Amino acid sequence: MDKLEQAEALFKQPLTIESLRQLDTLERQARGQEADYIGELWEAVFAAADEKLLTQARKEGLI
């Protein structure tokens, strides 16, 4: 499974801090257009995550 597919699969379950960590790792490992597409998934994080999760992600430097 390529990194983009792995990143998209993270959204099939409720988002957690661990899934955001995984998304961050996948984005850093990806290259070129795949990295761009994964980066765009962060917009979905802002739409789907609750404020508590977003606050924790900010503290960890994920967003």
Side-chain angles (χ1 to χ4, degrees), residues 17 19-20 24 30 35 55-57:
I17 193 63
S19 60
L20 297 186
D24 181 64
T55 298
Q56 188 174 1

Side-chain angles (χ1 to χ4, degrees), residues 1-15:
M1 185 182 308
D2 69 358
K3 289 173 182 41
L4 180 57
E5 289 173 338
Q6 291 175 46
E8 290 171 338
L10 296 173
F11 290 87
K12 293 183 179 183
Q13 302 293 323
L15 291 174

Side-chain angles (χ1 to χ4, degrees), residues 33-54:
Q33 195 169 27
E34 184 176 50
D36 294 340
Y37 289 148
I38 293 172
E40 290 175 8
L41 291 175
W42 284 102
E43 291 180 27
V45 168
F46 286 106
D50 63 26
E51 192 57 40
K52 182 178 176 182
L53 179 57
L54 293 175

